[in-house]
């Protein structure tokens, strides 16, 4: 081989770049969903991950929010464009059963009776065809609009009497409350299930939102939830039946002692809600690592344990104040996002709406948790929206065994993952990750690297690099420990010549580079420390791995380690 030909090969190899191919987006919803152990699957038995957003239609107007701001087709297309494949669409029982007042109203009449003149004018401007429809027909039109955009719908019975949810004594809390007649409720479920039996994008029905109040008891829960489940399945055997627990969808622990008994199988899932305010004061008063472990363990003990028993669990509400600046929400988000990614949960974000026609007596009420801004024109917080994108993609499950199990190094605060960029790493889209492996020697290595590449610290404030070969992966600087209670601080011991102690993976000031800094908030009882930038979660995946460099390109990474190589190359001429 001549020297010139060798250098041309080197140049060609250096020009090779990793192919980061995105998965194709499925635009056609499956006709039917079923369950396979803890997973939700389509007709082919392939995992379908529910990555949903909540869209309320249960408040006093009984109309999906936002139709006074944008055309229905534009809102539905926006849902799909933001990466959500599903909407949890809420509805009140009285829409179809128990109170003829609502079933008799048209959209225009509903808005007029509430004196919502501005909303009425907006619907006329953007969705005039809905005004003369009965409320139930308008609800069906919304479902069909979602289907036209390729978005699945889960119909959630949120309340009985239309209005804001949820207070313990609002009459909507538990079976037997003033507005919660079990017979009327079952009739409403049966009617809705039958009404949407022909709408293929309706893939599930959630039987009741946030059971609560002083009347709660497990005997009535089993009696009526099983009855409601059977009614839905009999009217529409195609849909998933989703059961909520007690205490505002926070408690299904009683199923550990007494399972549900139904006449059908492979169509049952359970749901849970999880917000920062589900655990008041903890996120601000305690060390975030300890609080994360304690709260996540509590959620697992009360609900998520069902995954291990072979039942799907749908996190049907979670979210944060998208205006930013809420420390409790930021700490909660890092913890919850790590749990969602680690368990690869199905979920529904609260919420789509930027504002309401009417909420708690206030016309045009703003929704701080909304994905859309107040006018429904653009995302309220683009950063918050971007960080859910990695959670929208399934990581494993039936039909997704595309690679041997490997780890993804996930940064929950940003929703990004650690990616290789030749000899350095940075945060980027999780679908572009290569396969990481955390060894018994505590090395974080790229599993499929032919030359052997592993993560290596370079010092305080400096970017981490990839050591190459045995020498590059040796020493304390390449021995990574999970050092905090949350196991999300990934650290090495600082050099003996420094006083830095443990150095943790961190995000650089540019928001993209990955550096090491002195570990923060590892322990202590106070809540005045924010560790989220230093939280990294090792998440398991079996999805197709992004292509790595060729063997030759990887070999060229060894060149800087070969002493006097330049002298040898120039000596060939």
């Amino acid at each position: 081989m001549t020297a010139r030909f060798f250098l041309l090969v080197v140049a060609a190899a250096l020009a090779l770049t990793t192919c980061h191919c995105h998965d194709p987006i499925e635009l056609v919803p499956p006709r039917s969903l079923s369950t396979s152990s803890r997973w939700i699957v389509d007709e082919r038995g392939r995992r379908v991950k529910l990555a949903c957003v909540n869209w309320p239609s249960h408040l006093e107007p009984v109309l999906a929010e936002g139709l006074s701001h944008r055309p229905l087709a534009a809102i539905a297309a926006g849902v799909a464009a933001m990466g959500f494949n599903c909407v949890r669409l809420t509805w009140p029982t009285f829409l179809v059963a128990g109170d003829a007042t609502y079933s008799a109203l048209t959209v225009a009449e509903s808005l007029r009776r509430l004196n919502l003149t501005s909303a009425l004018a907006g619907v006329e401007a953007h969705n005039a065809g809905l005004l003369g429809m009965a409320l139930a027909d308008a609800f069906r039109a919304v479902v069909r609009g979602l289907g036209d955009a390729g978005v699945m719908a889960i119909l959630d019975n949120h309340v009985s009497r239309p209005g804001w949810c949820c207070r313990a004594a609002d009459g909507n809390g538990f079976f037997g409350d003033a507005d919660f007649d079990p017979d009327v409720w079952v009739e409403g479920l049966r009617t809705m299930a039958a009404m949407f039996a022909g709408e293929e994008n309706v893939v599930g029905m959630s039987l009741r939102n946030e059971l609560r109040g002083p009347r709660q008891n497990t005997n009535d829960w089993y009696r009526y939830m099983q009855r409601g489940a059977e009614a839905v399945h009999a009217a529409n055997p195609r849909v998933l039946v989703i059961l909520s627990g007690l205490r505002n969808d926070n408690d299904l622990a009683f199923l550990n002692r007494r399972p549900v008994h139904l006449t059908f199988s492979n169509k049952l899932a359970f749901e849970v809600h999880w917000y920062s305010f589900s655990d008041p004061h903890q996120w601000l008063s305690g060390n975030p690592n300890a609080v994360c472990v304690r709260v996540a363990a509590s959620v697992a003990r009360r609900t998520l344990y069902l995954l291990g028993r072979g039942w799907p669990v749908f996190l049907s509400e979670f979210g944060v104040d998208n205006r930013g600046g809420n420390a409790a929400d930021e700490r909660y988000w890092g913890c919850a996002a790590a749990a969602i990614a680690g368990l690869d949960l199905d979920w529904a974000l609260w919420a789509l709406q930027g504002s309401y026609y009417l909420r708690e007596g206030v016309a045009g009420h703003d929704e701080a948790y909304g994905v859309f801004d107040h006018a429904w024109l653009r995302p309220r917080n683009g950063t918050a929206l971007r960080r859910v994108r990695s959670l929208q993609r399934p990581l494993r499950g039936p039909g997704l065994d595309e690679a041997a199990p490997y780890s993804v190094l996930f940064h929950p605060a940003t929703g990004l993952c650690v990616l290789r960029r030749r000899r350095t790493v940075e945060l980027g889209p999780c679908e572009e990750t290569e396969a990481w492996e955390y060894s018994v020697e505590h090395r974080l290595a790229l599993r499929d690297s032919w030359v052997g590449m592993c993560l290596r610290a370079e010092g305080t404030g400096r970017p981490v690099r990839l050591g190459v070969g045995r020498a590059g992966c040796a020493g304390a600087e390449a021995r990574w420990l999970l050092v905090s209670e949350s196991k999300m601080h990934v650290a090495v011991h600082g050099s003996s010549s420094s006083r830095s102690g443990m150095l943790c993976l961190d995000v650089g000031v540019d928001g993209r580079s990955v550096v090491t800094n002195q570990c923060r908030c590892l322990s202590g009882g106070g809540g005045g420390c924010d560790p989220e930038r230093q939280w990294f979660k090792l998440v398991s995946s079996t999805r197709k791995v992004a292509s790595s460099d060729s063997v030759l390109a990887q070999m060229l990474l060894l060149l800087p380690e070969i002493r006097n190589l330049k002298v040898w190359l120039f000596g060939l001429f």
Side-chain angles (χ1 to χ4, degrees):
M1 180 186 296
T2 67
R4 188 176 301 278
F5 179 74
F6 175 79
L7 290 175
L8 287 173
V9 171
V10 169
L14 288 173
L16 293 175
T17 57
T18 300
C19 174
H20 303 307
C21 302
H22 295 247
D23 295 329
I25 297 173
E26 182 65 64
L27 295 178
V28 180
R31 293 189 299 276
S32 178
L33 297 181
S34 301
T35 65
S36 176
S37 184
R38 62 146 291 189
W39 306 106
I40 294 170
V41 297
D42 63 15
E43 305 92 334
R44 302 169 295 170
R46 183 178 174 88
R47 166 78 188 289
V48 174
K49 180 170 183 174
L50 299 178
C52 314
V53 64
N54 282 272
W55 190 0
S57 187
H58 67 272
L59 280 79
E60 286 91 339
V62 199
L63 180 67
E65 304 292 341
L67 297 174
S68 60
H69 287 282
R70 300 278 300 283
L72 169 58
I75 295 175
V79 170
M82 291 186 288
F84 300 106
N85 65 2
C86 164
V87 158
R88 181 177 180 250
L89 187 64
T90 69
W91 61 280
T93 302
F94 290 176
L95 173 63
V96 293
D99 189 333
T101 302
Y102 295 94
S103 60
L105 288 174
T106 66
V107 169
E109 290 166 344
S110 179
L111 295 172
R112 285 195 191 101
R113 73 186 179 89
L114 296 167
N115 199 31
L116 296 174
T117 54
S118 177
L120 179 62
V123 175
E124 185 174 18
H126 298 291
N127 294 283
L130 298 179
L131 287 176
M133 289 185 182
L135 292 174
D137 291 333
F139 188 88
R140 187 196 293 270
V142 170
V143 169
R144 289 177 173 171
L146 290 169
D148 290 342
V151 178
M152 295 177 286
I154 292 174
L155 309 184
D156 167 65
N157 179 238
H158 214 71
V159 291
S160 295
R161 182 173 299 282
W164 179 247
C165 180
C166 301
R167 298 188 306 276
D170 62 5
N172 281 299
F174 198 71
F175 307 107
D177 281 359
D179 290 319
F180 199 167
D181 182 317
D183 294 331
V184 172
W185 171 72
V186 171
E187 179 189 350
L189 291 175
R190 183 183 296 112
T191 301
M192 288 292 278
M195 182 185 304
F196 289 96
E199 304 291 346
E200 291 188 348
N201 70 312
V202 175
V203 296
M205 287 189 63
S206 175
L207 298 197
R208 188 68 175 198
N209 180 72
E210 297 201 3
L211 294 167
R212 59 196 181 277
R215 301 178 63 92
Q216 293 178 93
N217 67 89
T218 55
N219 286 336
D220 281 345
W221 187 93
Y222 283 98
R223 177 185 178 187
Y224 294 119
M225 292 298 264
Q226 290 176 164
R227 184 180 162 197
E230 295 286 4
V232 167
H233 184 73
N236 187 351
R238 194 176 50 78
V239 296
L240 288 176
V241 177
I242 305 172
L243 305 187
S244 60
L246 301 174
R247 297 174 182 83
N248 297 81
D249 273 359
N250 281 291
D251 187 5
L252 287 162
F254 51 88
L255 292 173
N256 192 34
R257 302 180 298 275
R258 179 183 169 190
V260 171
H261 293 290
L262 298 169
T263 61
F264 59 91
S265 60
N266 304 117
K267 284 288 185 177
L268 181 64
F270 298 93
E271 65 179 306
V272 60
H273 293 178
W274 184 9
Y275 293 101
S276 65
F277 54 76
S278 302
D279 304 278
H281 311 303
Q282 292 198 55
W283 292 106
L284 292 178
S285 62
N287 178 275
N289 287 292
V291 172
C292 179
V293 171
R294 183 166 61 247
V295 170
S298 176
V299 176
R301 185 173 59 253
R302 289 179 280 112
T303 57
L304 297 180
Y305 75 93
L306 289 166
L307 296 168
R309 303 293 178 87
W311 295 104
V313 179
F314 177 39
L315 180 60
S316 58
E317 285 188 28
F318 77 111
V320 295
D321 184 337
N322 281 326
R323 295 171 299 183
N326 185 317
D329 271 359
E330 292 305 310
R331 296 168 188 174
Y332 146 84
W333 177 268
C335 183
I340 293 167
L343 294 169
D344 202 7
L345 286 177
D346 301 279
W347 51 264
L349 184 70
W350 187 272
L352 181 67
Q353 68 277 9
S355 56
Y356 299 84
Y357 308 118
L358 181 71
R359 173 180 157 181
E360 298 173 292
V362 178
H365 193 295
D366 190 61
E367 176 53 84
Y369 281 55
V371 171
F372 277 123
D373 64 6
H374 187 91
W376 291 69
L377 294 175
R378 57 186 59 85
R380 180 179 296 264
N381 185 328
T383 299
L385 182 59
R386 283 191 296 272
R387 68 184 182 182
V388 305
R389 289 200 181 275
S390 60
L391 303 178
Q392 293 170 334
R393 179 176 183 262
L395 296 172
R396 57 189 189 275
L400 300 180
D401 297 323
E402 300 163 348
Y406 61 92
S407 290
V408 174
L409 200 50
F410 175 57
H411 188 249
T414 60
L416 301 174
C417 289
V418 176
L419 310 180
R420 177 175 69 89
R421 297 293 187 242
R422 298 196 59 75
R423 290 291 297 275
T424 61
V425 295
E426 66 180 25
L427 294 179
C430 291
E431 62 267 28
E432 296 181 7
T433 186
E434 295 175 65
W436 291 92
E437 184 175 62
Y438 187 52
S439 71
V440 294
E441 294 85 13
H442 304 291
R443 310 299 180 198
L444 272 169
L446 286 171
R447 185 188 66 186
D448 301 328
S449 168
W450 185 84
V451 298
M453 287 186 277
C454 60
L455 211 59
R456 187 176 185 86
E458 296 289 323
T460 302
R462 299 181 63 185
V464 293
R465 293 181 62 79
L466 286 165
V468 178
R470 181 174 299 179
C473 293
E477 294 84 358
R479 188 171 185 270
W480 298 91
L481 306 173
L482 308 180
V483 293
S484 60
E485 286 187 66
S486 68
K487 304 300 182 186
M488 289 194 287
H489 277 86
V490 184
V492 298
H493 286 283
S495 65
S496 57
S497 61
S498 74
R499 297 182 180 180
S500 58
M502 301 293 289
L503 295 179
C504 280
L505 291 183
D506 203 342
V507 182
V509 293
D510 60 1
R512 196 169 191 89
S513 60
V514 179
V515 302
T516 49
N517 282 314
Q518 190 164 359
C519 297
R520 305 177 65 239
C521 318
L522 292 185
S523 61
C529 193
D530 294 313
E532 300 83 49
R533 289 175 66 91
Q534 292 188 345
W535 275 354
F536 289 81
K537 173 78 171 180
L538 285 168
V539 174
S540 179
S541 178
T542 58
R543 297 304 305 272
K544 179 177 62 178
V545 181
S547 301
S548 58
D549 288 347
S550 68
V551 171
L552 179 57
Q554 291 186 43
M555 289 179 65
L556 291 174
L557 295 175
L558 289 167
L559 297 184
E561 274 70 30
I562 300 176
R563 187 174 300 174
N564 298 323
L565 182 64
K566 289 184 178 180
V567 174
W568 179 79
L569 283 173
F570 282 111
L572 293 176
F573 291 93

